[in-house]
Amino acid sequence: VKHALVENTNFTKSPDGGYSNSTAKTLITETNNVLAAQYCEHTNDGMTGLGEEVTNTLNSHKSNIAITKREVLNQSKLEAEQASTADITVAPQITTNSDAQDEAGIQNTARLAAIGTKDGVAAALTEIVGEHITNPVLKTADGNHNKIVDDWTVHQLFEAIRGGAQRPSATSIREQYNAVTGTTFNWKNTVAVNMDKLKVEIANITGFGVKVNDDIKAVILLANVEWAAQQTWGLEIGVAQREINTTYSHDHIHDATSIKNILKMLAKADEARDRMKAQAPTGFAQAVHHLQGLTQGTYEDSDASESGYAAYESEEETTRRGRTRSTSRKPRTRSPSPSMSRSPTPPPGSRYRSRSPTPPPAGRSSSRYKKRHEPKAFNATNCKHCKKYGGNGYAHDPPKSISHDDCFFNKKHKGWRPRPVCKMMDIAYRHGESFQRDE
């Protein structure tokens, strides 16, 4: 158990040794998966019962209590009496001492296996997260002695790991909420599959105290349906959309029942359409994009909330270019002219440039203006790392053409990350000097 957890768990820590709430949740999930793979004769889900808060057969075993053959005989007799009726008498399955001793040995072996698995989980989690997280559960109050295995539970270790996670910022929580409301469906899959993925994303953000109600789920679903119905391959989706619009008015407050009915209508469309002709959307569905804009407000205008990293470069490069400009260019000075007033309208022929986003004067090329202000597709390269944390994915396009493996939002990326990206990922920012440059 310890080897399976330590070797196969990707537990990412920040430079100061901390970890995020999502990382803690992933570790607990992986631990339960390892427990589910352990054999247990009396359960259908392995030894996941060790991590449950409610007392059950597995987590109530005591290391200093063993089953005796007398207890086996008494239990067999009791079960036979309970199964008997006035007309039918059921004989006990175990009646001899040798059979009772064999059964007691089997049960004791299973109990020892559960206790050993519990101890292995504790050793693995301690190695992964650190003693400062698990010691309050596994050691006595003075910290000098280990508690016996009966005095703590795996669930208590899970709670300690959750409590030891770094507190996410409100900004990071809002960005994750925006990412959920901006979910786009992959129409090569069925609507049911896309909704299952949406439920996973909603479950992740619920751990931060944010609840996505059924009415918001319905808006996300209907916005994606609206987008698909407008595509050349979405004729069947369009038929289902008209049925949905006929059944529910635009101001209907959706709940679990209405979502279930909508999914039934869309299931028929999925059966009729050729899903291989579908294309994943290159940006947010219109209504979802509008919903995300309502939650973001003017937040996207600030540096701290920039959803992508295409506009950011290494601080060393920015500083270097800034120093070069400051040393090579002379400061501009204005010669006082008594004949010119500070009129808001520049005189004809002057080199005054307006900073407002107004179209360029007639006669000049407007290509640069159009290129600067034309809307860009959100995460057009479909980078899974950008999608997870709300990045716009622009850096994967030319001229940067950064590979998806080197994406700043990729947890396995070992190099420098821009400060806004670190805030979105809820990790500590590190200056560029702390990284070893490749010669």
Side-chain angles (χ1 to χ4, degrees), residues 149-330:
V149 70
D150 301 333
D151 290 344
W152 53 268
T153 64
V154 175
H155 179 75
Q156 290 175 341
L157 287 175
F158 288 167
E159 291 300 309
I161 293 172
R162 290 191 187 98
Q166 294 175 334
R167 185 183 182 92
S169 64
T171 300
S172 173
I173 295 175
R174 183 170 71 166
E175 287 170 351
Q176 293 188 50
Y177 176 76
N178 290 334
V180 170
T181 58
T183 298
T184 53
F185 287 179
N186 180 4
W187 288 98
K188 290 186 178 296
N189 297 326
T190 62
V191 176
V193 172
N194 283 295
M195 285 300 291
D196 288 340
K197 293 181 179 180
L198 176 61
K199 290 178 183 178
V200 173
E201 296 298 329
I202 292 175
N204 290 335
I205 196 174
T206 303
F208 296 101
V210 177
K211 185 177 181 180
V212 180
N213 295 319
D214 290 330
D215 53 345
I216 301 298
K217 297 177 187 176
V219 171
I220 299 172
L221 170 61
L222 294 175
N224 281 280
V225 169
E226 178 181 301
W227 180 89
Q230 298 172 359
Q231 310 307 310
T232 56
W233 45 263
L235 297 178
E236 295 82 2
I237 301 294
V239 173
Q241 185 195 26
R242 288 191 290 272
E243 184 181 358
I244 294 170
N245 293 341
T246 303
T247 307
Y248 301 102
S249 61
H250 70 279
D251 57 351
H252 178 80
I253 301 177
H254 290 279
D255 54 16
T257 302
S258 61
I259 292 178
K260 185 177 180 180
N261 292 334
I262 292 172
L263 292 177
K264 287 182 179 179
M265 301 176 192
L266 293 171
K268 298 178 182 178
D270 281 335
E271 293 177 357
R273 69 187 180 95
D274 185 359
R275 290 187 280 116
M276 291 301 100
K277 293 182 179 179
Q279 295 179 356
T282 57
F284 288 119
Q286 183 177 1
V288 175
H289 186 60
H290 177 65
L291 175 64
Q292 189 187 44
L294 293 177
T295 58
Q296 286 180 333
T298 58
Y299 182 73
E300 291 182 351
D301 295 335
S302 64
D303 289 340
S305 68
E306 184 64 41
S307 61
Y309 52 82
Y312 296 94
E313 299 179 6
S314 171
E315 289 186 346
E316 293 78 19
E317 295 178 1
T318 305
T319 305
R320 191 184 309 117
R321 287 206 301 271
R323 290 174 179 172
T324 304
R325 293 192 187 101
S326 61
T327 55
S328 61
R329 296 180 61 182
K330 296 181 179 180

Side-chain angles (χ1 to χ4, degrees), residues 58-76:
L58 279 174
N59 59 23
S60 60
H61 288 326
K62 302 298 181 181
S63 60
N64 56 355
I65 297 178
I67 300 295
T68 64
K69 61 181 180 181
R70 181 177 297 277
E71 291 174 339
V72 173
L73 290 171
N74 292 337
Q75 182 65 27
S76 179

Side-chain angles (χ1 to χ4, degrees), residues 327-366:
T327 55
S328 61
R329 296 180 61 182
K330 296 181 179 180
R332 297 175 64 181
T333 58
R334 294 185 178 181
S335 56
S337 175
S339 61
M340 291 183 62
S341 63
R342 293 183 176 269
S343 172
T345 304
S350 67
R351 299 181 62 184
Y352 173 85
R353 293 183 180 180
S354 173
R355 292 180 180 270
S356 61
T358 56
R364 288 189 179 183
S365 172
S366 60

